[in-house]
Amino acid sequence: MLPIAPSTETRPCLETVCKNDAPRMIHLDATGGEAAEILYSVFPGMELIYRDIHARSCREARGDSGERLEIHHCLEGRVEYRQNGRYFYLAPGDLVVARASSLPQGSRFPTGHYHGIAVVIDPADAPECLSCILSDVEVRPAALMEKLCPGGAVFAARSSRRVKHVFSELYAVPEDIRKGYLKVKLLELLLFLSTLEPAAQPVHGCTASQVTLAEQVRACLLAEPDQTVTLRELSHRFGVSEAQVKASFAGVYGMSPAAYVRSQRMWGAAELLRDTDRTVLDIAGQFGYDNASKFAKAFRDVVGVSPREYRAGEAYDSCAPQGERGTAC
């Protein structure tokens, strides 16, 4: 419970303003692909957004008026954050809480693939507290911002059982109970955040030189996608140790150079499955597989489903629950 003195400002109670608008789909300005968001207005001043990014970077749809609190959870892929001259990466299962003013207008996605949820809260418009819904609980959005993000700090919580519990069901909530369920889960999320303490942690992340090295290695790998380039060859090419290559690349992309090449090839195959009517075997051959079973296993290891399953459900290449896709705007 946050010890915040009651405000004299009058705001509507949640019980009188809990109105869910139809979801909206927003297409973002993306580089090297496509980026879309499906947005639900859950409470006044509180939005829940399903983010589906298939691009290297995109420009965020952040407003420029007023301070907002943003809560991001990563389901798949990686997104980059910068603070105090270092680079940090939100990986699968991770959670970040930050003021909108502390986040860049443009986001970078190292693997070119990202699915996740964002909750955006405008304390000026949001109900001041939740005590009218949850007995004996006091959670104030403005106080959460001051507690977890003082002075523009970015709060990060790595993947854990508690974080997974709060978010996992949001990716698969049934359509017939979705509107009410989103309200319940958003209240649960805010209650969960109110129990966290912004403990001082040692500085992690990557330096600018490590990011530069990782990007140079990536460019080298993609320039010769059909060749197997070893860590030793990369070490000689860039004049650094194998350990430096491995650590820098894993820090930015979350995997080894070899795994990154496999991942990019399978997502390239996924794009062809999505956008063409070529046979699975034909696409497999383009990526060096003459055996459909081996290709299917490699594809499933990266994408999570078989090539045929992916093609059958390509309209749902999204982390948003199926059934209500939003109105484009």
Side-chain angles (χ1 to χ4, degrees), residues 58-323:
C58 74
R59 184 166 182 79
E60 302 291 349
R62 293 191 175 99
D64 56 4
S65 61
E67 183 65 288
R68 292 173 174 82
L69 182 69
E70 296 195 16
I71 304 160
H72 291 264
H73 177 262
C74 173
L75 178 66
E76 297 177 8
R78 293 168 77 81
V79 60
E80 178 183 277
Y81 294 92
R82 303 181 199 181
Q83 190 175 34
N84 300 327
R86 297 183 73 88
Y87 295 74
F88 300 84
Y89 297 89
L90 192 66
D94 292 350
L95 168 73
V96 155
V97 184
R99 298 170 184 262
S101 60
S102 300
L103 300 175
Q105 287 298 316
S107 292
R108 299 205 320 158
F109 305 91
T111 62
H113 176 82
Y114 179 86
H115 291 303
I117 284 174
V119 174
V120 180
I121 301 175
D122 185 345
D125 293 335
E128 186 180 7
C129 73
L130 307 177
S131 58
C132 54
I133 294 295
L134 300 176
S135 177
D136 299 322
V137 172
E138 186 177 351
V139 178
R140 302 174 185 272
L144 283 176
M145 182 185 292
E146 292 301 323
K147 178 184 178 181
L148 296 179
C149 310
V154 175
F155 175 87
R158 294 304 179 188
S159 179
S160 69
R161 181 184 58 81
R162 293 181 69 195
V163 173
K164 181 178 180 180
H165 169 75
V166 173
F167 283 94
S168 60
E169 294 165 330
L170 283 170
Y171 295 105
V173 56
E175 182 179 359
D176 57 345
I177 63 169
R178 186 166 305 153
K179 290 183 178 181
Y181 197 80
L182 293 183
K183 295 175 185 177
V184 172
K185 292 299 291 186
L186 185 49
L187 295 177
E188 180 186 8
L189 172 60
L190 294 178
L191 179 59
F192 166 69
L193 293 178
S194 74
T195 68
L196 301 180
E197 293 295 338
Q201 297 180 353
V203 176
H204 295 295
C206 298
T207 64
S209 60
Q210 288 176 313
V211 173
T212 297
L213 174 60
E215 291 178 341
Q216 290 174 334
V217 170
R218 170 187 175 273
C220 174
L221 295 173
L222 296 185
E224 306 174 66
D226 297 327
Q227 302 298 318
T228 300
V229 183
T230 66
L231 281 175
R232 176 175 294 183
E233 291 170 330
L234 292 168
S235 170
H236 287 309
R237 184 169 303 191
F238 295 105
V240 297
S241 70
E242 293 182 32
Q244 285 177 287
V245 172
K246 185 176 181 179
S248 296
F249 199 89
V252 174
Y253 297 101
M255 62 188 80
S256 69
Y260 179 83
V261 171
R262 287 194 298 271
S263 174
Q264 292 301 297
R265 293 171 73 190
M266 291 304 100
W267 284 114
E271 183 177 358
L272 293 177
L273 288 166
R274 202 169 57 236
D275 298 337
T276 74
D277 58 1
R278 292 171 56 185
T279 67
V280 171
L281 190 58
D282 184 34
I283 293 173
Q286 177 175 327
F287 291 92
Y289 291 86
D290 56 8
N291 182 293
S293 296
K294 290 182 179 179
F295 172 69
K297 182 182 184 307
F299 189 91
R300 183 185 291 275
D301 288 344
V302 172
V303 181
V305 296
S306 72
R308 297 188 187 282
E309 289 171 331
Y310 183 85
R311 170 167 275 173
E314 61 85 14
Y316 301 109
D317 187 17
S318 165
C319 64
Q322 298 184 19

